[in-house]
Amino acid sequence: MAIKSMADQQNDGAPEPLKGAGDTGEAHQKERFTRRLTQDAGPRSMRPMRIATFNINGVKARLPRLQEWLADDPADLVCLQEIKSVDDNFPRAAFEDAGWHVATHGQKGFNGVAMLSRRPLDDVMTGLPGDDTDTQARYMEATLGGVRVASIYLPNGNPVGTEKFDYKLAWMRRLTARAKELLATERPVVLSGDFNVIPAPEDAHDPAAWADDALYQPESRAAFRALVHLGFTDAIRLVQPHGPAYTFWDYQRGAWQQDHGIRIDHHLLSPQAADRFVDARVDRAPRGQEKASDHTPVIVTLADG
DNA sequence: ATGGTGGTATCACCA
């Protein structure tokens, strides 16, 4: 299917029934989606699939806000990063009681990824292949409705010039190798997560302020481009080709209040996933709440296969 | 010039 027709792009607002991703107004998006859900009374597998990525910066600290957000039915699959919990301490029951299937890949204290799904997850794989000595919990994959999805917490890499930056770049090479394998399946693949990379100057309020940061190093950005150029599509840029679409605001210096953000949380779509693209958006609401994570969710919607 | 986590300080580490 076409990603976005010219007619949609030139449509100045009048909502048409069951249109694609043309109108970007929030009210129109909600109305359109509600219409799809209520009128498309087919089996669940025939409905659009919404995938969210959300670095929650500690699942226990964020639990009440996360539960409220989930209660609004924001997505069918939620990829979490920085759960900062071992698997046994993950508040699994809090989600399962609300109807979510839970898969986790945690470690003590730091890092950790998880997936919450409305439907059972198939073929869960934990850990990024390519280095058996790497014990950091930053990667998992699962299949949902024929789509292979990864929840990614790419290393931060600061400070530059240390083994931490070397680890980041080596991890990105391993991710790229895994991504090649996934592309070779020629199935829909979505790489979702906190990539800890600011892809371009327009992805930071003040790029100069990030000049010495691992998230904005030429090597980091080049490695991200090399990954994307394997054949992936940066989902949010299908809806908004240019300009700020921040997903992270530092806790310090009133960054949120002044919208001094960066865009580091991404959904990368394989060609087969991009063919199903319907919509992508940043949900800024969670970042404005009390006890918020420093990240906010990004949600991509794919049509049924 | 903030916040989460963990271990057990007058804090270290990660982001």
Side-chain angles (χ1 to χ4, degrees):
Chain A
M1 70 186 288
I3 285 167
K4 194 174 187 182
S5 74
M6 290 302 288
D8 282 342
Q9 289 178 354
Q10 290 167 4
N11 181 347
D12 279 325
E16 294 177 32
L18 295 174
K19 268 285 183 185
D23 50 317
T24 52
E26 206 162 332
H28 289 165
Q29 287 183 9
K30 192 153 198 169
E31 186 188 357
R32 184 183 69 244
F33 201 73
T34 302
R35 203 182 291 128
R36 289 187 75 115
L37 286 177
T38 52
Q39 292 187 354
D40 293 356
R44 186 159 193 143
S45 63
M46 294 300 285
R47 292 175 183 168
M49 181 187 302
R50 300 161 298 157
I51 303 169
T53 183
F54 191 2
N55 179 322
I56 50 168
N57 189 19
V59 66
K60 289 183 279 288
R62 224 60 66 200
L63 189 55
R65 293 291 87 77
L66 181 57
Q67 288 174 298
E68 290 166 9
W69 183 71
L70 293 171
D72 285 341
D73 188 32
D76 305 294
L77 172 63
V78 180
C79 298
L80 300 175
Q81 300 88 33
E82 277 204 273
I83 63 174
K84 296 188 177 180
S85 166
V86 295
D87 294 337
D88 286 346
N89 289 342
F90 190 88
R92 171 179 289 267
F95 303 110
E96 288 178 341
D97 291 350
W100 295 91
H101 298 263
V102 179
T104 65
H105 178 44
Q107 69 177 90
K108 192 174 174 183
F110 314 109
N111 305 325
V113 290
M115 288 181 171
L116 312 177
S117 174
R118 283 300 190 192
R119 287 181 282 160
L121 293 165
D122 296 323
D123 301 322
V124 176
M125 183 188 94
T126 58
L128 179 63
D131 182 358
D132 292 341
T133 68
D134 185 2
T135 58
Q136 299 193 30
R138 297 179 173 275
Y139 187 87
M140 66 187 301
E141 289 175 12
T143 300
L144 178 66
V147 181
R148 190 68 173 165
V149 183
S151 180
I152 295 170
Y153 180 47
L154 205 147
N156 173 295
N158 280 305
V160 174
T162 68
E163 71 288 340
K164 291 186 177 181
F165 190 62
D166 295 336
Y167 174 67
K168 177 185 190 128
L169 295 179
W171 205 95
M172 295 185 81
R173 286 191 289 273
R174 286 164 57 202
L175 176 60
T176 302
R178 178 60 184 164
K180 279 184 191 172
E181 294 179 349
L182 292 169
L183 287 176
T185 66
E186 299 190 357
R187 294 165 62 201
V189 175
V190 183
L191 307 180
S192 301
D194 174 3
F195 285 73
N196 266 315
V197 174
I198 303 167
E202 63 185 344
D203 294 314
H205 168 263
D206 181 9
W210 296 89
D212 297 326
D213 195 285
L215 279 59
Y216 196 60
Q217 289 308 292
E219 297 95 326
S220 307
R221 294 169 57 200
F224 183 78
R225 284 195 299 274
L227 170 61
V228 171
H229 291 165
L230 292 177
F232 288 92
T233 298
D234 184 343
I236 208 81
R237 289 305 184 201
L238 291 177
V239 171
Q240 187 188 327
H242 294 290
Y246 303 143
T247 66
F248 169 93
W249 298 259
D250 202 293
Y251 287 123
Q252 303 181 62
R253 295 178 288 275
W256 166 250
Q257 287 75 11
Q258 300 173 84
D259 200 20
H260 291 177
I262 55 175
R263 188 174 77 94
I264 58 175
D265 300 273
H266 310 295
H267 293 284
L268 301 185
L269 310 179
S270 76
Q272 292 77 11
D275 283 347
R276 301 191 193 179
F277 176 82
V278 173
D279 195 14
R281 64 186 188 89
V282 179
D283 181 0
R284 291 168 63 102
R287 184 62 182 85
Q289 297 183 321
E290 292 297 313
K291 293 277 287 178
S293 169
D294 39 9
H295 297 249
T296 213
V298 186
I299 303 162
V300 64
T301 303
L302 304 181
D304 60 88

